[in-house]
């Protein structure tokens, strides 16, 4: 079994952003490229979860999947669940494509700080960041059942399991590194 799989969430509708965030550019690189690099530094395998119509936009050779049919379009939990079903592993490092400031040092630091909790997630002084997190590999079926019951909130799921919140300052001193980009950077 694979030890750590990185889950790059790239399936959002990007309504506020106006176009798929995965292909937005910053400093000459696409958001998904930066996030992929960050995950690859701490994982044995990286899977990108995208909307079906975007799968062909990613380069050949990358593992890109869509949500499982039974949870398709049901938000980030569906993406996490779909990746868990495709790639059984001991644990999963989750990072959305709209957090391009998180780099290899930060992903490696989160892995090092993780405990025996079901999920280890990051929080700044201002907010909790549930989608920059490390998940225990045994939650695939429980997560799928949660979604199938109509529950789509990441926070609500994390409240049902043992979740440890790690201070972002232990990972990087600048909380701006942990922001997600919802509008275009000028």
């Amino acid at each position: 079994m694979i030890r750590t799989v990185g889950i790059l969430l790239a399936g959002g509708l990007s309504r506020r952003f106006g176009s798929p965030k995965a292909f937005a550019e910053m400093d000459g690189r696409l958001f998904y490229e930066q996030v992929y690099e960050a995950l690859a530094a701490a994982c044995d395998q990286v899977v990108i979860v995208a909307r079906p119509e975007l799968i062909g936009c990613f380069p050949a050779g990358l593992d890109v999947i869509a949500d499982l049919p039974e949870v398709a379009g049901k938000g980030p939990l569906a993406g996490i669940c779909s990746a868990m079903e495709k790639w059984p592993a001991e644990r999963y490092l989750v990072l959305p494509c709209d957090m391009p400031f998180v780099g290899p040092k930060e992903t490696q630091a989160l892995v090092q700080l993780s405990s025996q909790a079901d999920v280890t997630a990051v929080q700044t002084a201002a907010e909790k960041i549930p989608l920059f997190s490390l998940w225990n590999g045994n939650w695939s079926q429980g997560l799928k059942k949660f979604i199938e019951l109509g529950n789509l909130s990441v926070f609500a799921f994390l409240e049902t399991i043992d979740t440890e919140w790690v201070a972002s300052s232990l990972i990087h001193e600048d909380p701006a590194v942990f922001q997600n980009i919802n509008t275009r950077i000028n």
Side-chain angles (χ1 to χ4, degrees):
M1 180 181 285
I2 298 173
R3 181 152 168 78
T4 307
V5 169
I7 301 175
L8 195 165
L9 296 173
L13 295 175
S14 304
R15 288 182 188 105
R16 288 176 284 177
F17 198 77
S19 63
K21 293 182 201 177
F23 302 103
E25 191 174 310
M26 184 177 67
D27 298 329
R29 297 185 65 212
L30 301 177
F31 280 16
Y32 90 84
E33 292 172 328
Q34 295 178 73
V35 173
Y36 190 96
E37 179 181 288
L39 287 168
C43 300
D44 303 305
Q45 170 73 32
V46 176
V47 61
I48 300 170
V49 185
R51 295 191 321 263
E53 65 270 19
L54 297 179
I55 290 176
C57 298
F58 292 91
L62 295 181
D63 188 8
V64 186
I65 64 168
D67 287 341
L68 296 167
E70 58 271 28
V71 296
K74 301 207 178 195
L77 288 179
I80 295 166
C81 177
S82 298
M84 286 179 164
E85 294 254 333
K86 164 83 175 169
W87 287 103
E90 291 179 24
R91 59 190 183 178
Y92 299 87
L93 182 58
V94 177
L95 188 61
C97 68
D98 62 1
M99 291 184 69
F101 299 115
V102 172
K105 289 180 182 176
E106 290 78 30
T107 56
Q108 292 169 338
L110 179 57
V111 169
Q112 292 299 315
L113 290 167
S114 69
S115 69
Q116 296 300 317
D118 296 325
V119 173
T120 303
V122 176
Q123 73 176 20
T124 66
E127 67 180 327
K128 290 181 175 179
I129 306 169
L131 294 180
F132 180 27
S133 50
L134 190 69
W135 294 58
N136 185 309
N138 64 356
W139 280 104
S140 173
Q141 291 307 307
L143 182 54
K144 192 173 187 179
K145 287 177 186 170
F146 187 82
I147 297 165
E148 288 173 343
L149 290 172
N151 301 309
L152 307 182
S153 168
V154 177
F155 282 111
F157 182 73
L158 295 181
E159 289 175 5
T160 68
I161 62 175
D162 179 24
T163 302
E164 176 186 15
W165 295 94
V166 173
S168 64
S169 60
L170 297 173
I171 296 171
H172 196 283
E173 66 279 355
D174 183 0
V177 166
F178 305 98
Q179 69 180 320
N180 77 352
I181 308 299
N182 287 313
T183 56
R184 295 198 176 274
I185 300 170
N186 295 324

